[in-house]
Amino acid sequence: MKYLTAFNAFGREAYAFVAAEKGYFKEQGLDVEIAIGAGSGENMAALASGAADFAPVDSTGYILTKATGKVTGVTAISAVQQKSMVGLMTLEGYGITTPKDLEGKTMGDQEGATTSILFPTYAKLAGIDASKVQITPVNAGELAGALAAKKADVIGQFVVGKPLIEKAAGGKTAVALPFSDVIKDLYGHFLLTSDKIANEQPELATKFNTALLKGLEYSLANPAEAGKILNEAQPETDATVATQELEIMAPYARGDAKTLGVVDADRVKRVLDVLEDAGSVPAGKKPADFVKTEIAPKA
C-alpha cells in the first residue's frame, strides 16, 4: 500500500520513516511504500482516485475542501496533531508581533494553501480587516527566501518551520503567529484514507493507525534519532533541522490528549460551528461527514 507524506520530507514527516525503519508497519502485517506528498489538494485527489491509500492532510483545509464539495470519497481516521500547526511566519524587525500588525502588510503564500484559505476566518476572529492584507502567490519552495529578502512581510508557514526559516534568513529570529491562538479547537493534520478502505477494510485502517502513531510516539520521544532516520531515507533533509522541528511539534501532537491520534466528535462540531459562523462552510455539516471516529484511537 502507498502512503504519502503531507508535503515534501520535512522533519515533521519523520514519523512515517521511523515507523518503517523500526518495523512498526511489518508488526501489523503491512507492506508500505512511503512516497513524497505534494500538499493537501494533491494528496486528497490521490486518495480519492485510489493512487494512494493513506496520507496526512491539514484538518482545516480538508474540512473546508470537503464541506464545499471540492473533494469526495475520503475520510479522516486519526489526528496526527491535536493542535493546529498552521500559522504565519515573519522575522524579528519586520514590525509584526500581533495579528493587528498584519494590516497594510504583504503576505506570501502558496496558491491554494490552507493558510490562505483559512486567513479570512482567522482575520475575522482576530478582529483585523483581511482586505488590508495583500496576499501574493509564492511557490512553497521559495517562501523562506521571499521572507528573507523581504519580498513578503510575512508568509504562510507551519509553526514547526521556524528553524528552517531562520536558517534561510541567516540566523535571524523568526516570529510565529499560530492560527490556533485565535481559533482554539483546530486540529493539526488528520490522517486520511479512502471511504472504500474505511468502510470495507476498517481493520486495515486500524492497523495502519497503530503503526503510524507508534512511529509518531517514538519520534517525539527520540527526535534526534528520528531526524537521523529521516536524513538516511531522504539525504536532502537536514537532520538537525528535522530534530528541531520534531521538538517544536511535540506539544502540538500531544495537546491535552492522553493518547496520540484521538479525534473527539464534539470538538470537530465546534470547529464546524466556527467555520460555519465565518461563512467558510455550508450549514448542517456533521462530524461524521469528515471523521470515522470509530476507527480513530480512543482517549
Side-chain angles (χ1 to χ4, degrees):
M1 66 191 61
K2 190 172 185 177
Y3 168 89
L4 298 176
T5 64
F7 182 76
N8 212 320
F10 296 117
R12 70 204 73 159
E13 308 290 348
Y15 57 91
F17 296 92
V18 170
E21 174 65 22
K22 294 293 181 182
Y24 300 152
F25 290 128
K26 288 183 180 179
E27 285 178 0
Q28 298 296 322
L30 305 176
D31 183 11
V32 178
E33 172 196 355
I34 301 175
I36 302 303
S40 297
E42 293 196 26
N43 280 5
M44 286 187 281
L47 293 171
S49 70
D53 301 295
F54 298 93
V57 169
D58 178 72
S59 63
T60 310
Y62 158 63
I63 289 172
L64 292 171
T65 304
K66 190 173 184 183
T68 51
K70 294 176 182 175
V71 68
T72 58
V74 298
T75 191
I77 57 171
S78 64
V80 180
Q81 294 98 21
Q82 293 295 313
K83 184 178 174 183
S84 176
M85 300 192 301
V86 171
L88 304 174
M89 196 81 67
T90 185
L91 293 172
E92 202 170 74
Y94 280 20
I96 302 173
T97 57
T98 69
K100 192 66 179 175
D101 298 327
L102 294 168
E103 293 184 354
K105 301 294 195 300
T106 298
M107 170 181 153
D109 202 16
Q110 182 178 2
E111 214 161 0
T114 299
T115 326
S116 293
I117 294 171
L118 191 57
F119 185 73
T121 301
Y122 170 79
K124 180 179 179 180
L125 295 175
I128 64 174
D129 187 346
S131 69
K132 292 182 179 179
V133 181
Q134 180 184 344
I135 300 180
T136 302
V138 179
N139 291 332
E142 299 171 2
L143 283 168
L147 182 63
K150 218 174 187 304
K151 293 179 180 177
D153 301 300
V154 63
I155 58 173
Q157 185 71 210
F158 287 115
V159 295
V160 291
K162 189 175 189 287
L164 190 67
I165 298 301
E166 291 178 339
K167 183 179 178 182
K172 291 181 180 177
T173 300
V175 178
L177 295 178
F179 280 10
S180 60
D181 286 351
V182 174
I183 315 174
K184 302 293 185 181
D185 283 313
L186 296 182
Y187 283 93
H189 283 88
F190 277 164
L191 178 65
L192 302 191
T193 190
S194 64
D195 284 344
K196 183 177 176 62
I197 288 176
N199 293 330
E200 298 178 14
Q201 298 177 281
E203 70 288 345
L204 172 63
T206 298
K207 288 179 178 180
F208 195 90
N209 259 342
T210 299
L212 190 70
L213 292 170
K214 191 172 180 179
L216 178 61
E217 181 73 63
Y218 191 93
S219 298
L220 299 179
N222 305 277
E225 184 183 350
K228 183 179 178 182
I229 289 171
L230 175 65
N231 173 256
E232 289 171 351
Q234 300 289 322
E236 74 281 4
T237 61
D238 184 316
T240 300
V241 170
T243 299
Q244 293 170 338
E245 285 199 12
L246 288 167
E247 289 170 345
I248 295 170
M249 188 175 82
Y252 288 85
R254 297 190 185 282
D256 296 325
K258 294 181 180 178
T259 305
L260 290 176
V262 299
V263 185
D264 178 68
D266 290 339
R267 182 174 163 189
V268 175
K269 178 64 167 62
R270 292 197 298 272
V271 172
L272 290 170
D273 289 344
V274 167
L275 296 176
E276 181 183 325
D277 185 60
S280 300
V281 302
K285 297 296 180 181
K286 301 175 181 178
D289 296 331
F290 303 94
V291 184
K292 285 274 188 182
T293 53
E294 61 268 33
I295 294 177
K298 303 299 180 284

